[in-house]
Amino acid sequence: MLTLIVPICALLIGIGLLLLGTGLLNTLLALRGGLEGYSDSVMGLIMSGYFVGFIVGTFLALPLIKRIGHIRAFAFCAAFTSCFALLHLVYIHPVMWFLLRVATGTTLVILYTVVESWLNGQTAAAQRGKVFAVYMIVNLVALAATQQFLRLAGADSFLLFALAAIFISTSVASVTWTRMLQPEVNNVARMKLSRLWQLAPVAVAGGIFSGLAMGAFWGLSAVFASRVGLDSTGVATFITVAILGGAVFQYPFGRYSDSHDRRKVLLAISAAGAVAAMLLAAMSFAGGWLLVAGLLFGGLAFAIYPVAVAHLVDHLEGDEILPGGSTLLLIHGTGAAIGPALAGFLMEMLGPQALPLYFFTMLLALALFTWRKLAVKVVDEAENPTQFVAMVRTTPTALEMHPDEHIQDETVSSEAPDSARTE
C-alpha cells in the first residue's frame, strides 16, 4: 500500500488541506449566518450557490487546465478560494455571500479536477480503483475532522475564517512542491439524458433525489443543529457523526449490492433512510439520541449516490462510463443546487424539523419510484456487475478511476497470447 501512496502523497496532502479549509468554511457560514439574523430561506439560497458554482466549474475546469497546466491552475484557484473565505467577513451581506458561494464552488471544482485528473494520469489502470478508494478516505477523514475546529472559537470570531483560509492556502505548497509529471487532459463528453434514462432510470432517479437530499444536508445541517439548541461544539459533533456514518456504512451496503439487484438495494437504503430522517425529526431535542439518528441517516443517505453510479456503470460499455457518469454527476449537482434553497424555505415556514421531513420526502420519493420500476417485471440486472466504490463527491474526471473489473478482465483476456489462455 505504501508503494501506491508515496508517489501521490503530495496530491493527497494537498486535497486533505483543501478540504480541511473548505469543510470548515461550509459549516462556519451556516452558523455565522444564524448569528447575523439570516432566515432559513435566505441561508438555503446562500448555500445553494456553491452547487450552482459546481455546475459552472465543470465546464470551465478542463479549458483552464489545458491553458496553464495543473500546478498553475491549482495555485490560481486556491489563491482565489482563500480570498473568498476571508471576503465573507469583509462583505457581510446575503447577496455577496451567495455570489461568494458561487465563486467558491466554481474554483473548488477546478481544484478537485486538477487533483483527480492528475491522480488518474499518474496511476496505472490496474491500480486506479485502489487509488480512488484512498482518495475518498482522505476526503471523508478531512471533512469529518475539520468540524472539530469549531471547538476553538465561536462563529462570530475571525479565527475560524482565518484558519479556513490558512488551510486552503497551504494546500498550494504541497501541490506545487511535487515533481510529478503533469498528465494530458482529455475532454469529458456527456451522454444525453434520454439515453441515460433509457439505460438506467433508477440510477437517474438516484442521482437527482440524492442530490436534492445531500445538497440540503451539506448546506443546512449545521443550521438545523443550531436551531434545535446545539452549541458550536454540538453542531461539530453532529456533522462529524453523520459523515463518519457515511464512511462506515456505505461500503458494506455497496459491496452487498455487488451480488444483488442494485435496484432492490437502492429501494431498501432509500426506504430505511426515510425512516432515519423521521428519527432525526423525532429526536431533534433529545440530546445524545439526535447523534444516533444522525449516524443512521448519514450511513444510509451517503450510500445512495455511489450505489446509483454502480448501477449505471453496470449498464454501460467501457467507453460509455465516463460520458454516462459525468451526465449523472451533472444531474446530481443540479439537484444539490436546488435542495438547499427548497429546504430553506420549508424550514422558515415549518421550523427546523422541516429539514429531516424534507429528507424523508426526497428519500421516500426515490423508494417509491424504485419500487414502481421493480414492479414492472423488466429484467434489468447486469450479467457482470461492476465493483462498488464508495464516494462522497467527485468531478467527471474522477470517474475514469472507477474500477470496471469485468471489462478490464475481458480486455486482458482478449489481449493475452494463446499460450497464456491455455495455461
Side-chain angles (χ1 to χ4, degrees):
M1 182 62 74
L2 285 178
T3 58
L4 183 69
I5 296 176
V6 169
I8 59 173
C9 64
L11 297 178
L12 295 177
I13 292 171
I15 198 67
L17 289 169
L18 180 67
L19 285 168
L20 284 174
T22 58
L24 175 60
L25 178 65
N26 186 69
T27 306
L28 186 57
L29 288 176
L31 296 176
R32 182 60 181 266
L35 295 178
E36 297 295 336
Y38 297 161
S39 66
D40 292 340
S41 61
V42 169
M43 283 306 304
L45 286 169
I46 290 172
M47 303 309 280
S48 70
Y50 169 83
F51 297 101
V52 174
F54 182 96
I55 296 171
V56 173
T58 58
F59 294 97
L60 299 179
L62 296 183
L64 179 65
I65 296 171
K66 285 184 175 180
R67 177 180 175 83
I68 62 177
H70 284 70
I71 292 178
R72 288 181 178 178
F74 192 96
F76 177 84
C77 291
F80 276 105
T81 306
S82 181
C83 292
F84 297 152
L86 295 175
L87 283 172
H88 285 89
L89 286 181
V90 178
Y91 299 101
I92 302 177
H93 190 276
V95 175
M96 180 57 67
W97 276 22
F98 173 79
L99 294 176
L100 287 172
R101 293 306 290 162
V102 173
T104 300
T106 302
T107 55
L108 280 177
V109 169
I110 298 173
L111 290 165
Y112 298 145
T113 303
V114 168
V115 174
E116 291 170 0
S117 64
W118 206 340
L119 287 173
N120 185 48
Q122 181 73 19
T123 309
Q127 299 294 327
R128 286 176 183 168
K130 294 178 182 178
V131 169
F132 190 81
V134 171
Y135 174 70
M136 285 302 154
I137 290 172
V138 172
N139 272 251
L140 286 165
V141 170
L143 288 171
T146 194
Q147 309 302 323
Q148 299 308 309
F149 288 108
L150 293 171
R151 299 172 180 270
L152 298 179
D156 56 345
S157 71
F158 174 76
L159 174 62
L160 294 180
F161 284 90
L163 189 59
I166 289 170
F167 281 132
I168 296 168
S169 297
T170 52
S171 69
V172 178
S174 178
V175 173
T176 55
W177 180 259
T178 183
R179 298 172 63 183
M180 288 190 300
L181 294 177
Q182 300 180 63
E184 295 291 331
V185 178
N186 299 317
N187 287 322
V188 178
R190 288 184 174 82
M191 185 180 290
K192 289 185 177 180
L193 179 58
S194 58
R195 172 64 174 162
L196 208 65
W197 181 265
Q198 181 184 16
L199 289 171
V202 171
V204 175
I208 186 66
F209 284 113
S210 66
L212 287 165
M214 298 312 295
F217 171 83
W218 291 116
L220 293 171
S221 58
V223 176
F224 162 77
S226 63
R227 291 283 193 271
V228 298
L230 299 183
D231 57 12
S232 295
T233 299
V235 171
T237 303
F238 173 75
I239 297 175
T240 299
V241 165
I243 294 172
L244 291 178
V248 171
F249 290 113
Q250 70 164 290
Y251 190 77
F253 289 138
R255 293 299 293 173
Y256 179 79
S257 76
D258 285 347
S259 56
H260 295 78
D261 186 340
R262 294 196 208 271
R263 297 169 303 166
K264 294 180 180 179
V265 177
L266 273 173
L267 171 60
I269 294 173
S270 55
V275 173
M278 290 302 295
L279 285 176
L280 271 179
M283 301 297 177
S284 296
F285 299 96
W289 288 106
L290 177 60
L291 299 181
V292 176
L295 178 72
L296 293 173
F297 176 77
L300 293 160
F302 273 80
I304 292 174
Y305 179 65
V307 171
V309 171
H311 174 60
L312 174 64
V313 173
D314 286 343
H315 296 81
L316 298 177
E317 299 296 332
D319 59 352
E320 293 179 318
I321 291 176
L322 184 56
S326 63
T327 299
L328 186 64
L329 180 63
L330 188 61
I331 293 169
H332 180 79
T334 302
I338 298 170
L342 180 58
F345 281 112
L346 293 175
M347 289 176 70
E348 185 169 357
M349 290 188 298
L350 304 175
Q353 285 89 351
L355 183 62
L357 292 176
Y358 169 84
F359 293 150
F360 169 80
T361 303
M362 295 301 105
L363 299 187
L364 181 62
L366 175 59
L368 291 174
F369 177 86
T370 306
W371 174 79
R372 179 69 183 85
K373 285 297 180 181
L374 283 167
V376 174
K377 302 287 186 183
V378 175
V379 177
D380 192 33
E381 295 182 70
E383 294 181 0
N384 297 296
T386 189
Q387 177 185 349
F388 172 84
V389 177
M391 61 178 67
V392 183
R393 175 260 344 121
T394 63
T395 67
T397 54
L399 294 168
E400 293 181 279
M401 291 189 286
H402 195 291
D404 190 28
E405 293 186 346
H406 67 277
I407 292 176
Q408 292 175 3
D409 292 343
E410 291 172 2
T411 302
V412 171
S413 177
S414 65
E415 293 177 353
D418 291 338
S419 60
R421 298 178 194 171
T422 58
E423 288 180 356

